[in-house]
């Protein structure tokens, strides 16, 4: 096996469970959890919606690249949840793969949309039918997720606890 960094990295679309499953994995592994969106907001010093309004998606992506690089380079073993679009950037794909084992959390767009009902924190889902938007994002991003991930875990029909257990089972086989 090619030796890589110590992190457990979670990628996938909005609503895939990266934060909830990632936090549970971090508890079980006794290591810190970081979310790249939170790193971006902390570095910017303004709330996410203000940042997006002021700098647009391109400004956010530039900051996200720094956040991904910082997290991946951390000497402390982490569980890293990436914003859903982080894998679109080839620098991020390289940094994440170098940083550790990458798990793609997957669920059908309709399931993702149902998990995000009442959540208005995702600008890419503002206006329009969310399941349709998520289907488009799933189609356009599938190759990037596939290129980044070592393993895919379906979260549909699984509780957070079950999904975390499935992730850690794969994790252990990668670290055996
Ligand atoms: C995005 C996903 C969001 C956040 C931003 C853009 C995307 O993170 O980074 O709204 O492009 O899919 P989550 O996947 O954590 O919701």
């Amino acid at each position: 096996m090619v030796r890589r960094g110590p992190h457990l990295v979670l990628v996938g679309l909005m609503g895939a469970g990266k934060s909830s499953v990632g936090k549970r994995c971090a508890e079980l592994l006794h290591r810190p959890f970081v979310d790249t969106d939170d790193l971006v907001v902390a570095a910017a010093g303004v709330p996410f919606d203000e940042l997006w309004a002021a700098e647009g998606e391109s400004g956010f992506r530039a900051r996200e690249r720094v956040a991904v690089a910082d997290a991946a380079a951390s000497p402390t073993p982490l569980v890293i949840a990436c914003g859903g679009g982080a894998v679109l950037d080839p620098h991020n794909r390289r940094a994440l793969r170098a940083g550790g084992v990458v798990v793609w959390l997957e669920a059908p767009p309709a399931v993702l949309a149902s998990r995000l009902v009442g959540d208005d924190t995702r600008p890419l889902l503002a206006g329009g039918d969310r399941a349709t938007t998520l289907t488009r994002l799933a189609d356009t991003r599938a190759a990037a997720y596939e290129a980044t991930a070592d393993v895919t875990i379906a979260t549909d029909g699984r509780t957070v606890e079950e999904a975390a257990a499935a992730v850690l089972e794969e994790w252990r086989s990668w670290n055996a």
Side-chain angles (χ1 to χ4, degrees), residues 12-15 18-19 35 37 48 52 57 60-61 64 82-85 121-124 137 141:
L13 284 173
M14 297 171 271
K18 302 178 298 286
S19 296
D35 181 313
D37 286 346
F48 183 91
W52 192 281
E57 180 170 356
F60 170 77
R61 296 294 176 204
E64 183 178 54
C82 295
T121 64
R122 271 87 169 184
L124 294 182
L137 291 176
R141 293 179 176 179

Side-chain angles (χ1 to χ4, degrees), residues 34-82:
V34 301
D35 181 313
T36 59
D37 286 346
D38 294 342
L39 296 179
V40 168
V41 166
V46 292
F48 183 91
D49 52 345
E50 278 179 35
L51 174 66
W52 192 281
E55 300 186 7
E57 180 170 356
S58 64
F60 170 77
R61 296 294 176 204
R63 291 178 177 275
E64 183 178 54
R65 185 193 282 191
V66 175
V68 166
D70 285 352
S74 166
T76 303
L78 302 171
V79 175
I80 304 170
C82 295

